[in-house]
Amino acid sequence: MSTDGTCRGCSGRTLLPVLSLGLMPLTDDYPGSADEQEGRYPLDVAFCPDCSLLQILEAPPPEAIFVDYSYYSSVSATLLRHSREHALELIASRGLGPGSLVVEVASNDGYLLRNFVEAGVPVLGIDPARGPAAAAEAIGVPTLQTFFGAESARALRSEGRRADVLIAKNVLAHVPELNGFVEGVATILSETGIAEFEVPYVRDMIDQLEFDTIYHEHLCYFSVTSLRSLFARHGLAVQRVRHLPIHGGSLRITVGRAAEGDESVRRFLDAESAAGITGFGYYRDFADRVSEVCRAVRSKLSELKGAGHRLAGYGAAAKGTILLNAARLGPDILDYVADKSPHKQGRWMPGARIPIVGPERLLQDRPDYVLLLAWNFRNEILMEQQAYLDGGGRFIVPIPWPVVVGEPGHERAIDSPSGRP
């Protein structure tokens, strides 16, 4: 689908180009063999000066991405811990109990809602992905296998289901019809209910060069400024904003019908204005910086390969697909990519034609260097792979600028020709 040159948020028609990554495969379309051909789609990013929303211009229909979906949230211990803390906080702060209803949109395999179920709080998960939805049902999390929007929200409301808390973690960026989605949130919320969204923060993405979070699933990249505008169109106000370290830097936004927000909202809005996020100039050199880091990663790995070192990757994540394709890294450079998810093992990295194996492979043949593709779970992975590191293995963390981890006593940054990431 295409935006036809209009903003996904405000329908403005002045979209300014920021970055083109060319034709990219779908990041969750893992081929079953090295010869299987996957589709490729343009991946171009633009900025709307009318509402400050950064967005991609074209994407395939969501059915092509999210129905046969291989991402299972419960694979990550970091994500499980983060989500449990969030659930327990909401139970305490909102006084949730047997008479409440918590709805999660994009509930995946029940990784978050299971915590409410354990506490005796009624829940409803909504997710279109067959495998994760079935996994959620299997652990006692009732799940509707469907896409969420204004129509599905009206249907639920007609059944008497109103959410005291609605949670939407890392889904708002995936929604082609932003306004229909937010209308659905406003429809299903009880009069005193709140919704909490988690989204990757565009400021972290630009400042820390997290370009590999740009892919066809992520249609939009949000600031507090752009979110406030989006929610206001549907009678919802941003009440609180928190910055979280997860996924390379995320926002947790609390919205509701009450118009007054706390001091955190103004603090973020003022900081964004001072940083220039609301203007195109903030994004002007992003494409050049992306090209520079891709060249650095490829140059370093090619140098290591040429010197006879054995190289592999870790984390068959969506961001890994983008980095591998943007930096033109294939099986001539990396022997394989290790990943904990059994749903990905035995398949191949989209576009890059690199096989995906279990993480035990690192200890079996001990490659000299491992490119850490899932860098957002860096600490978790390094702890899990301590035996590999103790045996002399080294990781290369590519974002925001490649550094080598595991050399005795320190990390070593790979020199930047411009002196900046």
Side-chain angles (χ1 to χ4, degrees):
M1 63 162 290
S2 169
T3 61
D4 296 324
T6 61
C7 174
R8 297 178 186 277
C10 70
S11 299
R13 291 189 167 274
T14 310
L15 295 180
L16 306 176
V18 170
L19 171 70
S20 177
L21 290 172
L23 294 175
M24 286 280 169
L26 299 181
T27 55
D28 202 62
D29 186 14
Y30 296 94
S33 74
D35 299 324
E36 183 180 328
Q37 295 297 312
E38 71 279 275
R40 287 178 176 262
Y41 304 86
L43 192 51
D44 301 318
V45 185
F47 174 76
C48 176
D50 296 327
C51 71
S52 302
L53 181 62
L54 194 69
Q55 58 204 276
I56 69 171
L57 295 178
E58 187 172 344
E63 293 81 2
I65 301 175
F66 295 111
V67 174
D68 293 313
Y69 197 46
S70 64
Y71 180 75
Y72 286 71
S73 299
S74 293
V75 169
S76 168
T78 299
L79 197 57
L80 288 175
R81 183 170 57 253
H82 169 79
S83 300
R84 180 168 178 78
E85 290 170 356
H86 188 195
L88 295 178
E89 175 192 310
L90 284 168
I91 291 169
S93 64
R94 303 296 296 180
L96 301 176
S100 310
L101 177 63
V102 175
V103 174
E104 185 184 11
V105 181
S107 49
N108 200 261
D109 58 7
Y111 73 108
L112 168 68
L113 290 182
R114 64 195 296 178
N115 297 289
F116 294 99
V117 172
E118 290 172 5
V121 179
V123 304
L124 176 66
I126 303 174
D127 198 295
R130 283 188 285 256
E137 288 278 0
I139 62 170
V141 175
T143 305
L144 290 179
Q145 190 194 320
T146 189
F147 287 97
F148 178 79
E151 184 177 348
S152 58
R154 285 192 291 269
L156 289 168
R157 178 169 174 153
S158 71
E159 297 170 2
R161 295 202 252 191
R162 303 286 298 278
D164 298 291
V165 173
L166 182 142
I167 303 171
K169 288 179 180 284
N170 296 298
V171 62
L172 193 62
H174 296 180
V175 178
E177 298 295 337
L178 274 180
N179 287 287
F181 186 96
V182 177
E183 180 186 342
V185 172
T187 298
I188 200 173
L189 273 185
S190 69
E191 292 307 309
T192 58
I194 62 163
E196 291 210 324
F197 296 80
E198 286 186 16
V199 297
Y201 191 18
V202 71
R203 185 170 186 178
D204 291 312
M205 187 185 82
I206 298 298
D207 290 355
Q208 300 300 316
L209 257 183
E210 297 168 356
F211 75 94
D212 52 351
T213 62
I214 297 171
Y215 42 90
H216 296 103
E217 291 177 31
H218 287 172
L219 306 178
C220 297
Y221 308 88
F222 296 103
S223 60
V224 178
T225 303
S226 62
L227 286 169
R228 184 181 66 159
S229 174
L230 172 64
F231 291 128
R233 283 193 288 276
H234 301 279
L236 297 173
V238 176
Q239 297 176 346
R240 186 183 183 192
V241 183
R242 282 170 281 182
H243 186 258
L244 308 172
I246 197 160
H247 296 309
S250 299
L251 295 175
R252 180 179 291 165
I253 305 282
T254 305
V255 305
R257 302 186 197 283
E260 292 299 320
D262 68 13
E263 74 284 350
S264 65
V265 180
R266 177 52 54 191
R267 187 169 65 248
F268 270 88
L269 291 171
D270 289 346
E272 289 180 359
S273 178
I277 285 177
T278 57
F280 178 68
Y282 183 75
Y283 308 90
R284 195 181 302 276
D285 70 343
F286 186 56
D288 290 340
R289 294 167 61 213
V290 168
S291 295
E292 193 171 292
V293 75
C294 285
R295 284 193 298 269
V297 171
R298 179 168 179 81
S299 174
K300 181 60 178 178
L301 294 183
S302 297
E303 173 191 324
L304 292 171
K305 191 74 172 183
H309 292 291
R310 292 175 300 115
L311 310 178
Y314 194 103
K319 52 176 46 66
T321 293
I322 296 302
L323 179 63
L324 292 174
N325 283 273
R328 304 189 316 280
L329 301 173
D332 58 321
I333 300 292
L334 301 181
D335 295 338
Y336 52 82
V337 171
D339 194 277
K340 286 197 301 185
S341 174
H343 306 284
K344 298 177 183 179
Q345 293 166 15
R347 306 186 74 83
W348 301 72
M349 291 300 293
R353 296 292 186 269
I354 302 171
I356 303 169
V357 303
E360 64 278 359
R361 183 76 172 269
L362 296 186
L363 288 179
Q364 291 170 1
D365 60 14
R366 295 189 179 275
D368 301 301
Y369 291 86
V370 175
L371 180 65
L372 186 54
L373 299 168
W375 51 260
N376 53 320
F377 293 120
R378 164 182 169 158
N379 291 340
E380 175 183 333
I381 292 168
L382 293 180
M383 287 179 61
E384 291 174 350
Q385 296 302 320
Q386 191 61 53
Y388 166 74
L389 290 168
D390 290 344
R394 286 154 287 188
F395 279 92
I396 296 176
V397 182
I399 301 297
W401 190 261
V403 295
V404 178
V405 180
E407 294 183 327
H410 67 284
E411 295 182 1
R412 179 171 60 81
I414 296 169
D415 292 338
S416 165
S418 66
R420 60 169 171 79

